[in-house]
C-alpha cells in the first residue's frame, strides 16, 4: 500500500464474504484499524476488526466515518436475494437507500481518500441480443426493470455521481462475475446444489465464475493500489451450463422457460433456491465479460480460472447422478401445477 496508518470501513460484515474481507485487510501492515459495519453482528470471528452495529440507511453512518477518521470505505453490503433481506422492499431499501446514505456520508467526509464498491456483472443483464463479451463501457441491451439488477444499476449510477462530486476520492468499482466456492451461498450456488437441475429447453448458456478467494484478493488489490475505474473481474475462460452440470454429476431436466419460471417461484417460496427474473434470463442466455482492463489497468490476475473455480465449488458436493429418478419424482410431486400447465400447452 502507498499510504500507511489507514482507517478502513467495511460494510456488510455480517455476511461471510464481508467478514472475511474485513479480517484479511486488517492484517495488512499499512492498515492501522478496520471498522466493520452492519445491522446485525457477524456469526464468525472478526479478529482485529472493530464491529459497529449500525444501519447504513441511517445518517448515523456519517458520524461513524467522522469519528473514526476513515480514509477508505469498502462497500460490500449489496444484497442479491430478497429472502435474506426480509423481502423485496427491504432489500431495495438496504441496497439503494443504504448506498445513497453511505455516499452522502462519504461526500461530507474530508478524511475520505478512497471508495471501493463490490458490484456485479449482473448489471449487464442477459438477453438474446447481447455481445459475445461485455466491456466496461457497454450498457445492457435491455435495461433492468426490477430486482437485484435494477438495484445494482441504480447503485452504480449513484457511485458515478459521487465520483463527479468528489474528484479527489479514488473510486473503484469491481463488477464480479458469479462468485463460487465451497463456502458461498448465493442464487447461482443454490441452483447448482439442487438434486436435479432444471434447464431452459433449447438453451445452453455461457457461464463465467470468480472464486471467492479471488474476489477477496481483488478487493484487497483495489484497496492497496488505489486505481480508479470500473473493472470486470472474472476467472479466465467460460463453461457451458451443460458442461457444468456434467462435472457435478447431477441430473438435469430441460423444461420450457415458463415452466422453469414456475419451478423457480415454488423453490423461492420454499427458500430452497432463488429464481429471480434475472436469474432465469441468465440461465437462458448466459453472459460473457471482457477482463482485459482487470489485467492491464487494475493489474489483477485471478488465481482460479472459471473452470477451476467451479471445480473447487463442486468438490464438496455429493454427486446425485445415481439418484436421478428419485430426484425427478420429488420435483414432479412438488410441482403438480407445472406439470398441469405443460400438459395444457402441449395437449
Amino acid at each position: 500500500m502507498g499510504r500507511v496508518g489507514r482507517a478502513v470501513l467495511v460494510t456488510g460484515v455480517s455476511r461471510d464474504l464481508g467478514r472475511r474481507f474485513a479480517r484479511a485487510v486488517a492484517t495488512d501492515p499499512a492498515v492501522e484499524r478496520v471498522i466493520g459495519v452492519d445491522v446485525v453482528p457477524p456469526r464468525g470471528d472478526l479478529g482485529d476488526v472493530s464491529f459497529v452495529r449500525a444501519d447504513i440507511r441511517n445518517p448515523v453512518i456519517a458520524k461513524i466515518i467522522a469519528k473514526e477518521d476513515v480514509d477508505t470505505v469498502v462497500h460490500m453490503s449489496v444484497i442479491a436475494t430478497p429472502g435474506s433481506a426480509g423481502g423485496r422492499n427491504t432489500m431495495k431499501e438496504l441496497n439503494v437507500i443504504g448506498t445513497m446514505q453511505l455516499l452522502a456520508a462519504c461526500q461530507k467526509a474530508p478524511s475520505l481518500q478512497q471508495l471501493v464498491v463490490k458490484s456485479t456483472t449482473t448489471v449487464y443483464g442477459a438477453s438474446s441480443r447481447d455481445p459475445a463479451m461485455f466491456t466496461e463501457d457497454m450498457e445492457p441491451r435491455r435495461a433492468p426493470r426490477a430486482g437485484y439488477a435494477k438495484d445494482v444499476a441504480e447503485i452504480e449510477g449513484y457511485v458515478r455521481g459521487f465520483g463527479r462530486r468528489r474528484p479527489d476520492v479514488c473510486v473503484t468499482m469491481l463488477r464480479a462475475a458469479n462468485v463460487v466456492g465451497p463456502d458461498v451461498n448465493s442464487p447461482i450456488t443454490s441452483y447448482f446444489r439442487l438434486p436435479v437441475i432444471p434447464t431452459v429447453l433449447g438453451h445452453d448458456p455461457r457461464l463465467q465464475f470468480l472464486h471467492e478467494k479471488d474476489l477477496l484478493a481483488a478487493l484487497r488489490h483495489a484497496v492497496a493500489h488505489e486505481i480508479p475505474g470500473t473493472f470486470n473481474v472474472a476467472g479466465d475462460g467460460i463453461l457451458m451450463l451443460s458442461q457444468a452440470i456434467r462435472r457435478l454429476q447431477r441430473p438435469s431436466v430441460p423444461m420450457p422457460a415458463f415452466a422453469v419460471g414456475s419451478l423457480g417461484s415454488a423453490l423461492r417460496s420454499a427458500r430452497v433456491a432463488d429464481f429471480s427474473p434475472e436469474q432465469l434470463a441468465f440461465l437462458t442466455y448466459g453472459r460473457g465479460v471482457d477482463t482485459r482492463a482487470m489485467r492491464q489497468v487494475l493489474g489483477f490476475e485471478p488465481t482460479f480460472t472459471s473452470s477451476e473455480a467451479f471445480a473447487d465449488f463442486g468438490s464438496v458436493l455429493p454427486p446425485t447422478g445415481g439418484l436421478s429418478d428419485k430426484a425427478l419424482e420429488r420435483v414432479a410431486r412438488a410441482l403438480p401445477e407445472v406439470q398441469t400447465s405443460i400438459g395444457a400447452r402441449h395437449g
Side-chain angles (χ1 to χ4, degrees), residues 6-29:
R6 301 177 66 174
V8 180
L9 183 142
V10 182
T11 68
V13 295
S14 70
R15 286 180 291 282
D16 183 61
L17 286 172
R19 177 183 62 83
R20 288 166 58 194
F21 170 73
R23 282 198 58 164
V25 79
T27 65
D28 196 293

Side-chain angles (χ1 to χ4, degrees), residues 274-314:
D274 186 85
F275 269 76
S276 59
E278 61 256 31
Q279 176 91 334
L280 179 57
F282 178 65
L283 294 173
T284 304
Y285 303 109
R287 183 187 306 117
V289 297
D290 188 296
T291 56
R292 283 176 294 179
M294 174 190 75
R295 292 176 173 81
Q296 298 170 8
V297 182
L298 185 62
F300 177 73
E301 184 78 36
T303 303
F304 293 79
T305 65
S306 285
S307 179
E308 290 166 346
F310 190 76
D312 193 46
F313 158 71

Side-chain angles (χ1 to χ4, degrees), residues 17-153:
L17 286 172
R19 177 183 62 83
R20 288 166 58 194
F21 170 73
R23 282 198 58 164
V25 79
T27 65
D28 196 293
V31 173
E32 182 176 304
R33 62 190 184 280
V34 177
I35 304 96
V37 175
D38 216 322
V39 291
V40 295
R43 288 188 292 270
D45 182 18
L46 269 176
D48 294 329
V49 177
S50 300
F51 175 70
V52 178
R53 188 167 187 164
D55 190 335
I56 63 171
R57 292 172 293 180
N58 192 303
V60 73
I61 191 68
K63 296 180 180 179
I64 297 170
I65 292 174
K67 178 184 176 183
E68 298 290 345
D69 203 25
V70 169
D71 59 67
T72 301
V73 169
V74 182
H75 185 31
M76 296 185 64
S77 62
V78 180
I79 300 169
T81 55
S84 64
R88 171 60 191 149
N89 290 336
T90 304
M91 171 183 165
K92 185 174 179 62
E93 280 188 17
L94 288 167
N95 287 346
V96 179
I97 305 302
T99 299
M100 289 175 65
Q101 287 286 4
L102 178 67
L103 294 176
C106 289
Q107 186 172 335
K108 298 173 185 174
S111 62
L112 190 73
Q113 299 183 47
Q114 184 180 21
L115 171 67
V116 177
V117 178
K118 176 193 170 294
S119 188
T120 171
T121 56
T122 301
V123 75
Y124 295 117
S127 77
S128 59
R129 298 180 294 168
D130 287 351
M133 292 288 179
F134 278 101
T135 57
E136 289 83 353
D137 58 348
M138 291 180 175
E139 298 288 331
R141 291 299 187 264
R142 292 178 180 171
R145 295 190 293 267
Y148 177 53
K150 187 171 188 295
D151 288 357
V152 174

Side-chain angles (χ1 to χ4, degrees), residues 95-241:
N95 287 346
V96 179
I97 305 302
T99 299
M100 289 175 65
Q101 287 286 4
L102 178 67
L103 294 176
C106 289
Q107 186 172 335
K108 298 173 185 174
S111 62
L112 190 73
Q113 299 183 47
Q114 184 180 21
L115 171 67
V116 177
V117 178
K118 176 193 170 294
S119 188
T120 171
T121 56
T122 301
V123 75
Y124 295 117
S127 77
S128 59
R129 298 180 294 168
D130 287 351
M133 292 288 179
F134 278 101
T135 57
E136 289 83 353
D137 58 348
M138 291 180 175
E139 298 288 331
R141 291 299 187 264
R142 292 178 180 171
R145 295 190 293 267
Y148 177 53
K150 187 171 188 295
D151 288 357
V152 174
E154 290 184 25
I155 287 166
E156 287 203 357
Y158 292 131
V159 171
R160 286 191 291 270
F162 168 81
R164 290 190 292 269
R165 293 189 299 273
R166 286 289 305 267
D168 58 310
V169 176
C170 173
V171 179
T172 307
M173 279 198 292
L174 302 183
R175 289 176 176 164
N178 285 281
V179 179
V180 295
D183 300 317
V184 175
N185 288 305
S186 68
I188 196 69
T189 60
S190 296
Y191 169 75
F192 283 116
R193 286 188 177 105
L194 292 172
V196 58
I197 298 178
T199 62
V200 179
L201 188 66
H203 294 270
D204 193 10
R206 297 169 302 136
L207 312 177
Q208 281 175 305
F209 298 106
L210 179 68
H211 196 279
E212 56 187 316
K213 291 180 180 178
D214 283 329
L215 171 63
L216 300 178
L219 288 163
R220 288 193 67 181
H221 181 93
V223 170
H225 293 84
E226 299 186 69
I227 298 172
T230 300
F231 303 96
N232 296 329
V233 183
D236 274 349
I238 62 168
L239 273 180
M240 306 305 291
L241 178 59

